[in-house]
Amino acid sequence: MARVATRGPWLAVALVAAAVVMPFPGGAHADEGVVLLVNATNPTSTVTASEARRAFTGGTKQWPHGAVVQVGVTATESAELRYVASLSDMTPRELLSRIQEQVFKGEMRKPVVLRSAGECIGLARANPGAICAATRPATLPPEVKVLVVRGSR
């Protein structure tokens, strides 16, 4: 009996670990709490999935207000990166490869590597051209706003 009880916690840990490591089928979506964030001075309030893809892969160099696009990205298997990749019908690895290729070609700035939603908020707050994905926070500072993706899944 004691043996079963000691296996229980290990099984629970293994299941949680597997859930964290395995990607969501079809990618993460805004309805899972991931949103795009930009600086509040950015006049763009909504984008299509295609426009978001262009911003994240170097196709859009400047926002309408003239600020240079500065992408922020998170770890390969993060829900945030899966969401951005899903907007482009890519895997996170394909998206990162595309970004790396565009940086190498000189088509876009090197992205800022983010470790948390707080760092995404900080980037968007400090940089008028920033765009990044984060788990939707309860509140945002007035210098940051959510960029709505029209027609996202």
Side-chain angles (χ1 to χ4, degrees):
M1 190 88 111
R3 198 162 208 213
V4 173
T6 58
R7 279 192 220 169
W10 289 108
L11 180 59
V13 169
L15 290 174
V16 169
V20 170
V21 173
M22 293 173 67
F24 295 130
H29 301 98
D31 60 356
E32 293 173 15
V34 178
V35 294
L36 299 183
L37 299 179
V38 294
N39 188 282
T41 62
N42 189 330
T44 304
S45 295
T46 62
V47 292
T48 64
S50 177
E51 290 166 334
R53 176 187 51 80
R54 285 195 303 276
F56 275 95
T57 59
T60 301
K61 311 279 188 254
Q62 287 185 319
W63 293 104
H65 66 300
V68 175
V69 173
Q70 177 61 66
V71 171
V73 295
T74 55
T76 306
E77 291 303 322
S78 70
E80 294 85 357
L81 191 60
R82 285 192 303 270
Y83 172 63
V84 174
S86 76
L87 295 174
S88 306
D89 291 322
M90 295 181 191
T91 67
R93 291 190 194 284
E94 290 169 335
L95 175 63
L96 290 175
S97 291
R98 177 64 185 262
I99 290 171
Q100 184 178 17
E101 174 185 288
Q102 293 302 94
V103 169
F104 182 76
K105 287 180 176 179
E107 295 296 319
M108 69 182 287
R109 287 178 164 181
K110 185 176 179 181
V112 175
V113 178
L114 307 169
R115 293 182 305 264
S116 67
E119 287 186 2
C120 177
I121 292 168
L123 175 66
R125 178 185 234 171
N127 187 323
I131 182 170
C132 54
T135 303
R136 181 186 282 277
T139 59
L140 285 173
E143 302 89 359
V144 178
K145 69 179 182 179
V146 172
L147 182 62
V148 176
V149 180
R150 294 186 312 267
S152 67
R153 301 161 221 197

